[in-house]
Structures are given as structure tokens and as C-alpha cells.
Amino acid sequence: MKTSDIVIITPPAARADLLATRTLLFVPGDRPERFAKAASAGADLVVLDLEDAVAPEAKSAARAAVREWLASGHPGMVRVNPPGTDWFADDVDAVTDAARAAGGVPGPVMLPKAQDPADVAALVSALGPSAQVVPLIETALGVHRAIEVCGVAGVVRAGFGSVDLAAELGVDPVDRDALRYARSALVLGARAAGAGAPIDGVTTAVRDEELLLADCAHGLSLGFTAKMCIHPAQVGPVAAAFSPPPEQVAWARSVVQASAAGGVAVLDGRMIDKPVVDRARALLLRAGEPVRAVDPAATASPQPLVV
């Protein structure tokens, strides 16, 4: 296939933003007084949690608070309750109702206990053609079906629910070796399905920065490019850990520029082919820089490329 034969599809800006997200800060849905503080904490994305952080008797009030926040035009991802629970359908309705009230489309939704592609597809259908779904893989069956779950149209990238999975497996979530296989399986499954690099699970020790940074380094080494945060103090260290250093960003810019004419290029005496260019684009995406691809046979302006 020639470079000129490749069709590059421009993704919605919201999807590209979600792919570039490095930090996701959770805030309980029944604590609306914390929403604004969470939004100002510097995270790439705030996750309004209707699931684990909210007691059953507070679910209704939390849903109403989240709907009101989103209907007012504030951005945020919503972690709904799992499919099959008494709250799931109402949670999804609240997300879509808020989007209509705000005059837009539903924002990203995190689906916990994601292990059945049919459940994921049903959520995508309910959210509409602009759906952005993050399936949270936190069961053994979810890991086993990662390719199918992440391959559903509307899935942008997956999340790794380390604490719940560890409980199911009977291992310590702090033990990186115990969950190494599961993390790698999710990374491979997500990429095989064409989804973005996954989001790593939480570090529950909110004040242990040394442990947090070690967890970030471990996740990054396996192919994760983002992490969930449960306290504002975690946001800065996580963002720094998942941001490529300046010298790598400079190298990536040079590679993308050298490859702009298409085909195989040479930079500093080294061959630049597609795998090298793909890595450079992924680094620029992590750095929050727009990535553009050039078709030498095209006359239009270059278009954004999702890596």
C-alpha cells in the first residue's frame, strides 16, 4: 500500500482529548461542594463517581448533583454504576439528559465491571453517535475478553480496575508482580482492538509520593499512558511521570517533520520508518501536542492523526 492510498480519519476533538489525557481525578458524586475544587486541581479530566464512592442510599442525590453540574455546561466524565444494577439505567439517562440541557452531546462515560461486549455496545447506543466510553476492566472475565470489549465502536480507551481485580484474584493490589500479567493482557488487548493505550488503576496510599511514582513508572513500562487519581495531591506527580522528557519531545518533533514527505526518511544517520514515526506521534500525544500527518499526494491541509 502506498502512503497516498491511506485514508486518515479526523477524530472528534473530544476523542483526541481523551486519548491525550494523563490524569483522571475522581470525586464522589454525592459531594457536589467538591466538584469545583476537583475541576481546579489541574487534572486533565475529572471523574464524577456514581459507583464505589457513593453509598446505596445516596445514589439518587448523587445522580441529581452530577446531572446539575453537567447540565450547567461543566465538563467531566461520569463513572456510572455497573450494568445489571438498579441504578445503571437512571445513571445513563442522567448523562444524556444533562447533555441535552447543556445543548451538547454526552461527555465520556466510564463503565465499571466491563466484561460483556454487549453491555458496552448497549451503553454506546444509549449515548449516541458521539459516544466516548471507557470500559473499566476489573474482573478476570473482563481481562480475558479485553479485545472484544475494547473493540466495540465508541470505546476510546480502557481503564484498569486494579483493586477490584486483586480482590477477585485474592492477591494484594500493591503487589505489582501479582497483576503484571493482567496489566499486560489489557494493554495488548486494547491495542489489538484499535483502542488507545489504557489508563492505569489507582494508588490508594494518597500521601506516599514515592510509591505513587513507582506505580507510574511500572504502568508506563507496560504501555499505560495515564493513571486514575483519588486525591488532588496525586495529580501533579502523575502528570509529570506520564509526560515525556523535553529531549524525547524534541526528538519526536524531528521525526514527524522528517517523515512529512512520506516513505522512509533518514534523520541523524538513522532510518525513520513507520514504527519509529508511530512512536514519535505517540510521544507527542502524551506531551499534549497536536500530531499531524501529511499525505504527499493530497492538496488539502494536513489532518490530525490519532495514534
Side-chain angles (χ1 to χ4, degrees), residues 172-190:
D172 187 344
V174 179
D175 186 346
R176 300 187 190 101
D177 286 338
L179 294 178
R180 183 186 296 270
Y181 170 79
R183 280 189 166 93
S184 295
L186 176 55
V187 170
L188 289 170

Side-chain angles (χ1 to χ4, degrees), residues 239-268:
F242 281 98
S243 298
E247 59 271 20
Q248 287 190 1
V249 175
W251 171 84
R253 291 188 192 122
S254 298
V255 167
V256 172
Q257 184 176 4
S259 67
V264 177
V266 176
L267 178 65
D268 297 330

Side-chain angles (χ1 to χ4, degrees), residues 9 16 18 22 25 32 35 47 52 59 84 91 122 166 183 196-197 207 211 223 237 240 260 273 293 296:
I9 300 175
L18 185 50
R22 297 161 300 169
L25 177 61
F35 292 178
V47 182
D52 285 347
K59 296 285 190 185
D91 290 349
R183 280 189 166 93
R207 294 295 184 181
L211 176 62
D273 58 1

Side-chain angles (χ1 to χ4, degrees), residues 176 203-218 227 231-241:
R176 300 187 190 101
T203 296
T204 55
V206 297
R207 294 295 184 181
D208 191 336
E209 186 170 322
E210 182 178 354
L211 176 62
L212 176 66
L213 292 176
D215 284 349
C216 289
H218 178 68
K227 186 174 177 63
H231 192 278
Q234 295 180 325
V235 171
V238 170

Side-chain angles (χ1 to χ4, degrees), residues 89-229:
D90 289 338
D91 290 349
V92 176
D93 286 345
V95 172
T96 55
D97 288 347
R100 282 192 291 269
V105 297
V109 172
M110 180 175 285
L111 181 68
K113 303 298 188 293
Q115 58 184 24
D116 187 343
D119 288 339
V120 181
L123 174 59
V124 169
S125 178
L127 295 174
S130 298
Q132 304 170 70
V133 173
V134 174
L136 189 55
I137 306 298
E138 50 187 343
T139 65
L141 184 56
V143 173
H144 182 68
R145 292 179 171 175
I147 295 179
E148 294 91 339
V149 169
C150 294
V152 174
V155 169
V156 181
R157 60 194 305 191
F160 183 61
S162 52
V163 177
D164 283 50
L165 179 61
E168 181 179 342
L169 299 180
V171 301
D172 187 344
V174 179
D175 186 346
R176 300 187 190 101
D177 286 338
L179 294 178
R180 183 186 296 270
Y181 170 79
R183 280 189 166 93
S184 295
L186 176 55
V187 170
L188 289 170
R191 299 320 294 259
I199 304 159
D200 204 1
V202 302
T203 296
T204 55
V206 297
R207 294 295 184 181
D208 191 336
E209 186 170 322
E210 182 178 354
L211 176 62
L212 176 66
L213 292 176
D215 284 349
C216 289
H218 178 68
L220 187 58
S221 74
L222 296 178
F224 289 83
T225 61
K227 186 174 177 63
M228 304 174 208
C229 303

Side-chain angles (χ1 to χ4, degrees), residues 29-66:
D30 61 344
R31 300 300 299 271
E33 73 278 6
R34 295 185 182 179
F35 292 178
K37 183 179 180 180
S40 64
D44 295 324
L45 188 61
V46 171
V47 182
L48 306 162
D49 192 10
L50 295 176
E51 193 211 11
D52 285 347
V54 181
E57 62 272 16
K59 296 285 190 185
S60 180
R63 186 185 306 117
V66 168

